[in-house]
Amino acid sequence: MTIYDFTVRQSNGKRIPLYQYEGKPVLIMNTASKCKFTSQFSELQSLYDQYHEAGVEFLGFPCNQFGGQEPGSNEEAASFCQINYGVKFPMLAKVDVNGESAHPLFDYLKKAAPFKGFDESNINEKLLKLMITDMNPEWLHGDSIKWNFTKFLIDRQGQVVARFEPADDIDKIAASIEQQLSL
């Protein structure tokens, strides 16, 4: 199985098969417009600008499962990203990433790249873990997505090669993208 086996929806509801990205590295992420990590849109757009011409695609999936931080419609989420952060990469339809209503793509991503734990030497990860422990301790168990802005890097064959947690440094993501481009 690969990501090419899945179909997703654009913010306007139109279905798009992910096999259209075959042969390209893809960064898939769950996002939210009212999150502590929302400012990552600026860094992500910079990465997209840097690597898109080399064939890298980014796909953002708004998600309202974490603290209700994406309450608006699909169109409102996409518009917010474009207006406030200049996001040019596709912002797709809102999805659930955990639980019974999780989109099958995210179930696949979580199985292919299990959660490796929090790096408590990183203050942001330590704070995120404390917040989750306080608000939703059940999210700490298993391979579920822990918060907004979890990212998955996909290789040219549609396989998951890396999972990045919300507080992971953008340079770590860039280095992994560079590695995929050199293969």
Side-chain angles (χ1 to χ4, degrees), residues 142-180:
D143 295 323
S144 65
I145 292 175
K146 307 307 178 198
W147 204 253
N148 302 309
F149 291 91
T150 299
K151 302 155 202 80
F152 297 88
L153 183 60
I154 314 303
D155 68 12
R156 295 176 191 270
Q157 291 75 43
Q159 299 294 323
V160 182
V161 293
R163 175 176 172 159
F164 303 98
E165 298 306 324
D168 280 341
D169 189 81
I170 200 76
D171 292 337
K172 183 177 176 183
I173 299 167
S176 292
I177 291 172
E178 289 277 347
Q179 183 180 25
Q180 288 305 307

PDB file of all heavy atoms in Angstrom, residues 142-180:
ATOM      1  N   GLY A 142      -0.207   5.110  22.184  1.00  0.00           N
ATOM      2  CA  GLY A 142      -0.297   4.634  20.809  1.00  0.00           C
ATOM      3  C   GLY A 142       0.306   5.585  19.800  1.00  0.00           C
ATOM      4  O   GLY A 142       1.047   6.511  20.134  1.00  0.00           O
ATOM      5  N   ASP A 143      -0.031   5.361  18.555  1.00  0.00           N
ATOM      6  CA  ASP A 143       0.573   6.086  17.443  1.00  0.00           C
ATOM      7  C   ASP A 143      -0.290   7.227  16.926  1.00  0.00           C
ATOM      8  O   ASP A 143      -0.029   7.780  15.865  1.00  0.00           O
ATOM      9  CB  ASP A 143       0.889   5.110  16.308  1.00  0.00           C
ATOM     10  CG  ASP A 143       1.935   4.099  16.723  1.00  0.00           C
ATOM     11  OD1 ASP A 143       2.857   4.484  17.464  1.00  0.00           O
ATOM     12  OD2 ASP A 143       1.826   2.938  16.320  1.00  0.00           O
ATOM     13  N   SER A 144      -1.326   7.585  17.687  1.00  0.00           N
ATOM     14  CA  SER A 144      -2.208   8.651  17.238  1.00  0.00           C
ATOM     15  C   SER A 144      -1.423   9.937  17.002  1.00  0.00           C
ATOM     16  O   SER A 144      -0.331  10.130  17.531  1.00  0.00           O
ATOM     17  CB  SER A 144      -3.299   8.920  18.285  1.00  0.00           C
ATOM     18  OG  SER A 144      -2.731   9.421  19.468  1.00  0.00           O
ATOM     19  N   ILE A 145      -2.009  10.800  16.208  1.00  0.00           N
ATOM     20  CA  ILE A 145      -1.442  12.128  16.014  1.00  0.00           C
ATOM     21  C   ILE A 145      -1.733  12.894  17.294  1.00  0.00           C
ATOM     22  O   ILE A 145      -2.862  12.880  17.799  1.00  0.00           O
ATOM     23  CB  ILE A 145      -2.037  12.791  14.758  1.00  0.00           C
ATOM     24  CG1 ILE A 145      -1.527  12.024  13.533  1.00  0.00           C
ATOM     25  CG2 ILE A 145      -1.704  14.270  14.699  1.00  0.00           C
ATOM     26  CD1 ILE A 145      -2.099  12.461  12.227  1.00  0.00           C
ATOM     27  N   LYS A 146      -0.706  13.530  17.825  1.00  0.00           N
ATOM     28  CA  LYS A 146      -0.816  14.149  19.142  1.00  0.00           C
ATOM     29  C   LYS A 146      -1.351  15.567  19.105  1.00  0.00           C
ATOM     30  O   LYS A 146      -1.929  16.040  20.078  1.00  0.00           O
ATOM     31  CB  LYS A 146       0.544  14.142  19.855  1.00  0.00           C
ATOM     32  CG  LYS A 146       1.199  12.776  19.935  1.00  0.00           C
ATOM     33  CD  LYS A 146       0.296  11.718  20.535  1.00  0.00           C
ATOM     34  CE  LYS A 146       0.976  10.359  20.551  1.00  0.00           C
ATOM     35  NZ  LYS A 146       0.072   9.261  20.724  1.00  0.00           N
ATOM     36  N   TRP A 147      -1.121  16.288  17.977  1.00  0.00           N
ATOM     37  CA  TRP A 147      -1.571  17.680  17.902  1.00  0.00           C
ATOM     38  C   TRP A 147      -1.499  18.159  16.459  1.00  0.00           C
ATOM     39  O   TRP A 147      -1.037  17.454  15.567  1.00  0.00           O
ATOM     40  CB  TRP A 147      -0.712  18.576  18.809  1.00  0.00           C
ATOM     41  CG  TRP A 147      -1.425  19.825  19.238  1.00  0.00           C
ATOM     42  CD1 TRP A 147      -1.175  21.084  18.783  1.00  0.00           C
ATOM     43  CD2 TRP A 147      -2.489  19.936  20.181  1.00  0.00           C
ATOM     44  NE1 TRP A 147      -2.034  21.984  19.389  1.00  0.00           N
ATOM     45  CE2 TRP A 147      -2.854  21.298  20.262  1.00  0.00           C
ATOM     46  CE3 TRP A 147      -3.190  19.014  20.969  1.00  0.00           C
ATOM     47  CZ2 TRP A 147      -3.876  21.756  21.084  1.00  0.00           C
ATOM     48  CZ3 TRP A 147      -4.204  19.484  21.789  1.00  0.00           C
ATOM     49  CH2 TRP A 147      -4.529  20.836  21.839  1.00  0.00           C
ATOM     50  N   ASN A 148      -1.943  19.391  16.246  1.00  0.00           N
ATOM     51  CA  ASN A 148      -1.865  20.033  14.930  1.00  0.00           C
ATOM     52  C   ASN A 148      -0.410  20.129  14.468  1.00  0.00           C
ATOM     53  O   ASN A 148       0.492  20.240  15.280  1.00  0.00           O
ATOM     54  CB  ASN A 148      -2.434  21.447  15.010  1.00  0.00           C
ATOM     55  CG  ASN A 148      -3.868  21.463  15.485  1.00  0.00           C
ATOM     56  OD1 ASN A 148      -4.711  20.759  14.955  1.00  0.00           O
ATOM     57  ND2 ASN A 148      -4.149  22.257  16.506  1.00  0.00           N
ATOM     58  N   PHE A 149      -0.232  20.130  13.178  1.00  0.00           N
ATOM     59  CA  PHE A 149       1.060  20.303  12.527  1.00  0.00           C
ATOM     60  C   PHE A 149       1.995  19.103  12.702  1.00  0.00           C
ATOM     61  O   PHE A 149       3.210  19.252  12.731  1.00  0.00           O
ATOM     62  CB  PHE A 149       1.736  21.632  12.919  1.00  0.00           C
ATOM     63  CG  PHE A 149       1.005  22.813  12.345  1.00  0.00           C
ATOM     64  CD1 PHE A 149      -0.001  23.434  13.064  1.00  0.00           C
ATOM     65  CD2 PHE A 149       1.280  23.263  11.062  1.00  0.00           C
ATOM     66  CE1 PHE A 149      -0.720  24.492  12.515  1.00  0.00           C
ATOM     67  CE2 PHE A 149       0.583  24.322  10.510  1.00  0.00           C
ATOM     68  CZ  PHE A 149      -0.415  24.936  11.243  1.00  0.00           C
ATOM     69  N   THR A 150       1.409  17.915  12.770  1.00  0.00           N
ATOM     70  CA  THR A 150       2.192  16.700  12.614  1.00  0.00           C
ATOM     71  C   THR A 150       2.375  16.526  11.113  1.00  0.00           C
ATOM     72  O   THR A 150       1.438  16.736  10.337  1.00  0.00           O
ATOM     73  CB  THR A 150       1.471  15.490  13.244  1.00  0.00           C
ATOM     74  OG1 THR A 150       1.308  15.750  14.632  1.00  0.00           O
ATOM     75  CG2 THR A 150       2.260  14.211  13.034  1.00  0.00           C
ATOM     76  N   LYS A 151       3.590  16.162  10.704  1.00  0.00           N
ATOM     77  CA  LYS A 151       3.917  16.106   9.280  1.00  0.00           C
ATOM     78  C   LYS A 151       4.474  14.731   8.915  1.00  0.00           C
ATOM     79  O   LYS A 151       5.193  14.130   9.708  1.00  0.00           O
ATOM     80  CB  LYS A 151       4.934  17.191   8.932  1.00  0.00           C
ATOM     81  CG  LYS A 151       4.455  18.587   9.268  1.00  0.00           C
ATOM     82  CD  LYS A 151       5.629  19.521   9.488  1.00  0.00           C
ATOM     83  CE  LYS A 151       5.252  20.712  10.317  1.00  0.00           C
ATOM     84  NZ  LYS A 151       5.215  20.436  11.752  1.00  0.00           N
ATOM     85  N   PHE A 152       4.159  14.288   7.699  1.00  0.00           N
ATOM     86  CA  PHE A 152       4.652  13.015   7.180  1.00  0.00           C
ATOM     87  C   PHE A 152       5.312  13.270   5.837  1.00  0.00           C
ATOM     88  O   PHE A 152       4.696  13.866   4.945  1.00  0.00           O
ATOM     89  CB  PHE A 152       3.500  12.029   6.999  1.00  0.00           C
ATOM     90  CG  PHE A 152       2.808  11.668   8.283  1.00  0.00           C
ATOM     91  CD1 PHE A 152       1.744  12.417   8.767  1.00  0.00           C
ATOM     92  CD2 PHE A 152       3.228  10.575   9.022  1.00  0.00           C
ATOM     93  CE1 PHE A 152       1.112  12.097   9.947  1.00  0.00           C
ATOM     94  CE2 PHE A 152       2.602  10.229  10.212  1.00  0.00           C
ATOM     95  CZ  PHE A 152       1.538  11.003  10.678  1.00  0.00           C
ATOM     96  N   LEU A 153       6.560  12.803   5.684  1.00  0.00           N
ATOM     97  CA  LEU A 153       7.260  12.939   4.411  1.00  0.00           C
ATOM     98  C   LEU A 153       7.126  11.632   3.647  1.00  0.00           C
ATOM     99  O   LEU A 153       7.403  10.552   4.174  1.00  0.00           O
ATOM    100  CB  LEU A 153       8.737  13.279   4.637  1.00  0.00           C
ATOM    101  CG  LEU A 153       9.559  13.507   3.368  1.00  0.00           C
ATOM    102  CD1 LEU A 153       9.005  14.659   2.519  1.00  0.00           C
ATOM    103  CD2 LEU A 153      11.021  13.757   3.726  1.00  0.00           C
ATOM    104  N   ILE A 154       6.719  11.767   2.408  1.00  0.00           N
ATOM    105  CA  ILE A 154       6.479  10.635   1.516  1.00  0.00           C
ATOM    106  C   ILE A 154       7.542  10.641   0.428  1.00  0.00           C
ATOM    107  O   ILE A 154       7.851  11.702  -0.130  1.00  0.00           O
ATOM    108  CB  ILE A 154       5.074  10.754   0.859  1.00  0.00           C
ATOM    109  CG1 ILE A 154       3.993  11.124   1.880  1.00  0.00           C
ATOM    110  CG2 ILE A 154       4.740   9.516   0.059  1.00  0.00           C
ATOM    111  CD1 ILE A 154       3.843  10.206   3.048  1.00  0.00           C
ATOM    112  N   ASP A 155       8.072   9.459   0.097  1.00  0.00           N
ATOM    113  CA  ASP A 155       9.090   9.392  -0.958  1.00  0.00           C
ATOM    114  C   ASP A 155       8.446   9.321  -2.346  1.00  0.00           C
ATOM    115  O   ASP A 155       7.222   9.334  -2.484  1.00  0.00           O
ATOM    116  CB  ASP A 155      10.074   8.240  -0.710  1.00  0.00           C
ATOM    117  CG  ASP A 155       9.462   6.854  -0.862  1.00  0.00           C
ATOM    118  OD1 ASP A 155       8.326   6.709  -1.386  1.00  0.00           O
ATOM    119  OD2 ASP A 155      10.134   5.880  -0.448  1.00  0.00           O
ATOM    120  N   ARG A 156       9.265   9.228  -3.365  1.00  0.00           N
ATOM    121  CA  ARG A 156       8.791   9.234  -4.760  1.00  0.00           C
ATOM    122  C   ARG A 156       7.963   8.001  -5.114  1.00  0.00           C
ATOM    123  O   ARG A 156       7.264   7.982  -6.123  1.00  0.00           O
ATOM    124  CB  ARG A 156       9.974   9.340  -5.717  1.00  0.00           C
ATOM    125  CG  ARG A 156      10.724  10.648  -5.618  1.00  0.00           C
ATOM    126  CD  ARG A 156      11.947  10.638  -6.536  1.00  0.00           C
ATOM    127  NE  ARG A 156      12.837  11.743  -6.293  1.00  0.00           N
ATOM    128  CZ  ARG A 156      12.749  12.923  -6.909  1.00  0.00           C
ATOM    129  NH1 ARG A 156      11.800  13.149  -7.776  1.00  0.00           N
ATOM    130  NH2 ARG A 156      13.617  13.872  -6.639  1.00  0.00           N
ATOM    131  N   GLN A 157       8.041   6.960  -4.273  1.00  0.00           N
ATOM    132  CA  GLN A 157       7.278   5.735  -4.501  1.00  0.00           C
ATOM    133  C   GLN A 157       5.987   5.690  -3.681  1.00  0.00           C
ATOM    134  O   GLN A 157       5.283   4.688  -3.675  1.00  0.00           O
ATOM    135  CB  GLN A 157       8.138   4.497  -4.173  1.00  0.00           C
ATOM    136  CG  GLN A 157       9.281   4.260  -5.145  1.00  0.00           C
ATOM    137  CD  GLN A 157      10.439   5.230  -4.929  1.00  0.00           C
ATOM    138  OE1 GLN A 157      10.837   5.515  -3.804  1.00  0.00           O
ATOM    139  NE2 GLN A 157      10.978   5.751  -6.019  1.00  0.00           N
ATOM    140  N   GLY A 158       5.702   6.777  -2.964  1.00  0.00           N
ATOM    141  CA  GLY A 158       4.468   6.848  -2.195  1.00  0.00           C
ATOM    142  C   GLY A 158       4.548   6.255  -0.808  1.00  0.00           C
ATOM    143  O   GLY A 158       3.518   6.073  -0.148  1.00  0.00           O
ATOM    144  N   GLN A 159       5.756   5.969  -0.330  1.00  0.00           N
ATOM    145  CA  GLN A 159       5.954   5.377   0.993  1.00  0.00           C
ATOM    146  C   GLN A 159       6.303   6.462   2.021  1.00  0.00           C
ATOM    147  O   GLN A 159       7.031   7.404   1.706  1.00  0.00           O
ATOM    148  CB  GLN A 159       7.084   4.345   0.959  1.00  0.00           C
ATOM    149  CG  GLN A 159       6.830   3.183   0.017  1.00  0.00           C
ATOM    150  CD  GLN A 159       5.672   2.306   0.464  1.00  0.00           C
ATOM    151  OE1 GLN A 159       5.461   2.080   1.646  1.00  0.00           O
ATOM    152  NE2 GLN A 159       4.910   1.815  -0.498  1.00  0.00           N
ATOM    153  N   VAL A 160       5.840   6.280   3.241  1.00  0.00           N
ATOM    154  CA  VAL A 160       6.171   7.207   4.322  1.00  0.00           C
ATOM    155  C   VAL A 160       7.614   6.951   4.745  1.00  0.00           C
ATOM    156  O   VAL A 160       7.983   5.822   5.051  1.00  0.00           O
ATOM    157  CB  VAL A 160       5.230   7.019   5.527  1.00  0.00           C
ATOM    158  CG1 VAL A 160       5.561   8.024   6.620  1.00  0.00           C
ATOM    159  CG2 VAL A 160       3.777   7.151   5.105  1.00  0.00           C
ATOM    160  N   VAL A 161       8.429   8.005   4.759  1.00  0.00           N
ATOM    161  CA  VAL A 161       9.831   7.859   5.162  1.00  0.00           C
ATOM    162  C   VAL A 161      10.152   8.597   6.456  1.00  0.00           C
ATOM    163  O   VAL A 161      11.183   8.334   7.067  1.00  0.00           O
ATOM    164  CB  VAL A 161      10.811   8.303   4.052  1.00  0.00           C
ATOM    165  CG1 VAL A 161      10.716   7.353   2.858  1.00  0.00           C
ATOM    166  CG2 VAL A 161      10.548   9.732   3.614  1.00  0.00           C
ATOM    167  N   ALA A 162       9.282   9.513   6.895  1.00  0.00           N
ATOM    168  CA  ALA A 162       9.557  10.239   8.137  1.00  0.00           C
ATOM    169  C   ALA A 162       8.264  10.825   8.694  1.00  0.00           C
ATOM    170  O   ALA A 162       7.342  11.165   7.945  1.00  0.00           O
ATOM    171  CB  ALA A 162      10.565  11.360   7.904  1.00  0.00           C
ATOM    172  N   ARG A 163       8.240  10.920  10.012  1.00  0.00           N
ATOM    173  CA  ARG A 163       7.152  11.588  10.728  1.00  0.00           C
ATOM    174  C   ARG A 163       7.789  12.685  11.569  1.00  0.00           C
ATOM    175  O   ARG A 163       8.779  12.450  12.264  1.00  0.00           O
ATOM    176  CB  ARG A 163       6.418  10.597  11.636  1.00  0.00           C
ATOM    177  CG  ARG A 163       5.338  11.240  12.503  1.00  0.00           C
ATOM    178  CD  ARG A 163       4.596  10.187  13.297  1.00  0.00           C
ATOM    179  NE  ARG A 163       3.687  10.773  14.266  1.00  0.00           N
ATOM    180  CZ  ARG A 163       2.653  10.133  14.801  1.00  0.00           C
ATOM    181  NH1 ARG A 163       2.408   8.872  14.464  1.00  0.00           N
ATOM    182  NH2 ARG A 163       1.873  10.738  15.665  1.00  0.00           N
ATOM    183  N   PHE A 164       7.208  13.869  11.500  1.00  0.00           N
ATOM    184  CA  PHE A 164       7.698  15.007  12.265  1.00  0.00           C
ATOM    185  C   PHE A 164       6.584  15.476  13.198  1.00  0.00           C
ATOM    186  O   PHE A 164       5.458  15.692  12.757  1.00  0.00           O
ATOM    187  CB  PHE A 164       8.106  16.153  11.337  1.00  0.00           C
ATOM    188  CG  PHE A 164       9.140  15.749  10.331  1.00  0.00           C
ATOM    189  CD1 PHE A 164       8.766  15.412   9.041  1.00  0.00           C
ATOM    190  CD2 PHE A 164      10.483  15.681  10.674  1.00  0.00           C
ATOM    191  CE1 PHE A 164       9.707  15.028   8.097  1.00  0.00           C
ATOM    192  CE2 PHE A 164      11.433  15.289   9.749  1.00  0.00           C
ATOM    193  CZ  PHE A 164      11.047  14.961   8.453  1.00  0.00           C
ATOM    194  N   GLU A 165       6.936  15.640  14.446  1.00  0.00           N
ATOM    195  CA  GLU A 165       5.963  16.106  15.426  1.00  0.00           C
ATOM    196  C   GLU A 165       5.865  17.632  15.351  1.00  0.00           C
ATOM    197  O   GLU A 165       6.724  18.290  14.761  1.00  0.00           O
ATOM    198  CB  GLU A 165       6.365  15.620  16.816  1.00  0.00           C
ATOM    199  CG  GLU A 165       6.393  14.099  16.938  1.00  0.00           C
ATOM    200  CD  GLU A 165       5.104  13.400  16.516  1.00  0.00           C
ATOM    201  OE1 GLU A 165       4.003  13.943  16.766  1.00  0.00           O
ATOM    202  OE2 GLU A 165       5.181  12.309  15.930  1.00  0.00           O
ATOM    203  N   PRO A 166       4.810  18.216  15.934  1.00  0.00           N
ATOM    204  CA  PRO A 166       4.574  19.654  15.794  1.00  0.00           C
ATOM    205  C   PRO A 166       5.759  20.541  16.172  1.00  0.00           C
ATOM    206  O   PRO A 166       5.964  21.585  15.551  1.00  0.00           O
ATOM    207  CB  PRO A 166       3.383  19.915  16.723  1.00  0.00           C
ATOM    208  CG  PRO A 166       2.675  18.606  16.771  1.00  0.00           C
ATOM    209  CD  PRO A 166       3.742  17.559  16.697  1.00  0.00           C
ATOM    210  N   ALA A 167       6.534  20.163  17.155  1.00  0.00           N
ATOM    211  CA  ALA A 167       7.631  21.015  17.625  1.00  0.00           C
ATOM    212  C   ALA A 167       8.964  20.714  16.952  1.00  0.00           C
ATOM    213  O   ALA A 167       9.970  21.338  17.276  1.00  0.00           O
ATOM    214  CB  ALA A 167       7.773  20.889  19.143  1.00  0.00           C
ATOM    215  N   ASP A 168       8.986  19.771  16.000  1.00  0.00           N
ATOM    216  CA  ASP A 168      10.245  19.473  15.310  1.00  0.00           C
ATOM    217  C   ASP A 168      10.726  20.689  14.529  1.00  0.00           C
ATOM    218  O   ASP A 168       9.930  21.430  13.935  1.00  0.00           O
ATOM    219  CB  ASP A 168      10.092  18.281  14.362  1.00  0.00           C
ATOM    220  CG  ASP A 168      10.149  16.947  15.084  1.00  0.00           C
ATOM    221  OD1 ASP A 168      10.657  16.889  16.223  1.00  0.00           O
ATOM    222  OD2 ASP A 168       9.688  15.946  14.499  1.00  0.00           O
ATOM    223  N   ASP A 169      12.022  20.873  14.519  1.00  0.00           N
ATOM    224  CA  ASP A 169      12.649  22.010  13.859  1.00  0.00           C
ATOM    225  C   ASP A 169      12.482  21.921  12.338  1.00  0.00           C
ATOM    226  O   ASP A 169      12.622  20.855  11.746  1.00  0.00           O
ATOM    227  CB  ASP A 169      14.139  22.038  14.235  1.00  0.00           C
ATOM    228  CG  ASP A 169      14.800  23.297  13.756  1.00  0.00           C
ATOM    229  OD1 ASP A 169      14.659  24.334  14.438  1.00  0.00           O
ATOM    230  OD2 ASP A 169      15.460  23.241  12.695  1.00  0.00           O
ATOM    231  N   ILE A 170      12.210  23.054  11.723  1.00  0.00           N
ATOM    232  CA  ILE A 170      12.007  23.111  10.272  1.00  0.00           C
ATOM    233  C   ILE A 170      13.262  22.666   9.513  1.00  0.00           C
ATOM    234  O   ILE A 170      13.161  22.096   8.432  1.00  0.00           O
ATOM    235  CB  ILE A 170      11.535  24.523   9.836  1.00  0.00           C
ATOM    236  CG1 ILE A 170      10.871  24.482   8.465  1.00  0.00           C
ATOM    237  CG2 ILE A 170      12.665  25.523   9.880  1.00  0.00           C
ATOM    238  CD1 ILE A 170       9.490  23.934   8.462  1.00  0.00           C
ATOM    239  N   ASP A 171      14.446  22.881  10.101  1.00  0.00           N
ATOM    240  CA  ASP A 171      15.684  22.448   9.446  1.00  0.00           C
ATOM    241  C   ASP A 171      15.761  20.933   9.342  1.00  0.00           C
ATOM    242  O   ASP A 171      16.321  20.393   8.384  1.00  0.00           O
ATOM    243  CB  ASP A 171      16.907  22.984  10.198  1.00  0.00           C
ATOM    244  CG  ASP A 171      17.024  24.505  10.091  1.00  0.00           C
ATOM    245  OD1 ASP A 171      16.465  25.081   9.128  1.00  0.00           O
ATOM    246  OD2 ASP A 171      17.653  25.107  10.968  1.00  0.00           O
ATOM    247  N   LYS A 172      15.195  20.238  10.301  1.00  0.00           N
ATOM    248  CA  LYS A 172      15.146  18.773  10.273  1.00  0.00           C
ATOM    249  C   LYS A 172      14.275  18.305   9.094  1.00  0.00           C
ATOM    250  O   LYS A 172      14.616  17.352   8.393  1.00  0.00           O
ATOM    251  CB  LYS A 172      14.588  18.264  11.604  1.00  0.00           C
ATOM    252  CG  LYS A 172      14.534  16.783  11.774  1.00  0.00           C
ATOM    253  CD  LYS A 172      14.014  16.450  13.177  1.00  0.00           C
ATOM    254  CE  LYS A 172      13.856  14.974  13.378  1.00  0.00           C
ATOM    255  NZ  LYS A 172      13.285  14.652  14.708  1.00  0.00           N
ATOM    256  N   ILE A 173      13.174  18.994   8.887  1.00  0.00           N
ATOM    257  CA  ILE A 173      12.278  18.666   7.774  1.00  0.00           C
ATOM    258  C   ILE A 173      12.969  18.966   6.454  1.00  0.00           C
ATOM    259  O   ILE A 173      12.942  18.156   5.527  1.00  0.00           O
ATOM    260  CB  ILE A 173      10.950  19.433   7.903  1.00  0.00           C
ATOM    261  CG1 ILE A 173      10.247  19.037   9.215  1.00  0.00           C
ATOM    262  CG2 ILE A 173      10.051  19.194   6.700  1.00  0.00           C
ATOM    263  CD1 ILE A 173       9.098  19.934   9.597  1.00  0.00           C
ATOM    264  N   ALA A 174      13.623  20.118   6.364  1.00  0.00           N
ATOM    265  CA  ALA A 174      14.338  20.498   5.138  1.00  0.00           C
ATOM    266  C   ALA A 174      15.420  19.475   4.806  1.00  0.00           C
ATOM    267  O   ALA A 174      15.574  19.092   3.637  1.00  0.00           O
ATOM    268  CB  ALA A 174      14.948  21.895   5.291  1.00  0.00           C
ATOM    269  N   ALA A 175      16.159  19.006   5.810  1.00  0.00           N
ATOM    270  CA  ALA A 175      17.218  18.020   5.573  1.00  0.00           C
ATOM    271  C   ALA A 175      16.633  16.716   5.033  1.00  0.00           C
ATOM    272  O   ALA A 175      17.214  16.100   4.135  1.00  0.00           O
ATOM    273  CB  ALA A 175      18.000  17.765   6.858  1.00  0.00           C
ATOM    274  N   SER A 176      15.473  16.316   5.541  1.00  0.00           N
ATOM    275  CA  SER A 176      14.833  15.095   5.051  1.00  0.00           C
ATOM    276  C   SER A 176      14.327  15.264   3.619  1.00  0.00           C
ATOM    277  O   SER A 176      14.404  14.331   2.811  1.00  0.00           O
ATOM    278  CB  SER A 176      13.682  14.688   5.974  1.00  0.00           C
ATOM    279  OG  SER A 176      14.176  14.282   7.228  1.00  0.00           O
ATOM    280  N   ILE A 177      13.817  16.454   3.299  1.00  0.00           N
ATOM    281  CA  ILE A 177      13.381  16.727   1.923  1.00  0.00           C
ATOM    282  C   ILE A 177      14.598  16.685   0.998  1.00  0.00           C
ATOM    283  O   ILE A 177      14.540  16.074  -0.079  1.00  0.00           O
ATOM    284  CB  ILE A 177      12.643  18.082   1.835  1.00  0.00           C
ATOM    285  CG1 ILE A 177      11.292  17.993   2.550  1.00  0.00           C
ATOM    286  CG2 ILE A 177      12.470  18.496   0.371  1.00  0.00           C
ATOM    287  CD1 ILE A 177      10.576  19.328   2.692  1.00  0.00           C
ATOM    288  N   GLU A 178      15.682  17.319   1.403  1.00  0.00           N
ATOM    289  CA  GLU A 178      16.925  17.302   0.599  1.00  0.00           C
ATOM    290  C   GLU A 178      17.377  15.869   0.326  1.00  0.00           C
ATOM    291  O   GLU A 178      17.781  15.528  -0.788  1.00  0.00           O
ATOM    292  CB  GLU A 178      18.042  18.055   1.328  1.00  0.00           C
ATOM    293  CG  GLU A 178      17.869  19.545   1.393  1.00  0.00           C
ATOM    294  CD  GLU A 178      18.335  20.271   0.148  1.00  0.00           C
ATOM    295  OE1 GLU A 178      19.015  19.673  -0.704  1.00  0.00           O
ATOM    296  OE2 GLU A 178      17.997  21.460   0.034  1.00  0.00           O
ATOM    297  N   GLN A 179      17.298  15.048   1.362  1.00  0.00           N
ATOM    298  CA  GLN A 179      17.702  13.645   1.211  1.00  0.00           C
ATOM    299  C   GLN A 179      16.840  12.953   0.160  1.00  0.00           C
ATOM    300  O   GLN A 179      17.338  12.206  -0.677  1.00  0.00           O
ATOM    301  CB  GLN A 179      17.614  12.919   2.547  1.00  0.00           C
ATOM    302  CG  GLN A 179      18.075  11.477   2.487  1.00  0.00           C
ATOM    303  CD  GLN A 179      17.979  10.793   3.830  1.00  0.00           C
ATOM    304  OE1 GLN A 179      17.190  11.175   4.693  1.00  0.00           O
ATOM    305  NE2 GLN A 179      18.781   9.776   3.999  1.00  0.00           N
ATOM    306  N   GLN A 180      15.532  13.189   0.185  1.00  0.00           N
ATOM    307  CA  GLN A 180      14.653  12.572  -0.802  1.00  0.00           C
ATOM    308  C   GLN A 180      14.937  13.071  -2.219  1.00  0.00           C
ATOM    309  O   GLN A 180      14.873  12.308  -3.172  1.00  0.00           O
ATOM    310  CB  GLN A 180      13.173  12.832  -0.443  1.00  0.00           C
ATOM    311  CG  GLN A 180      12.707  12.053   0.758  1.00  0.00           C
ATOM    312  CD  GLN A 180      12.945  10.565   0.598  1.00  0.00           C
ATOM    313  OE1 GLN A 180      12.539   9.954  -0.386  1.00  0.00           O
ATOM    314  NE2 GLN A 180      13.634   9.982   1.559  1.00  0.00           N
TER     315      GLN A 180
END
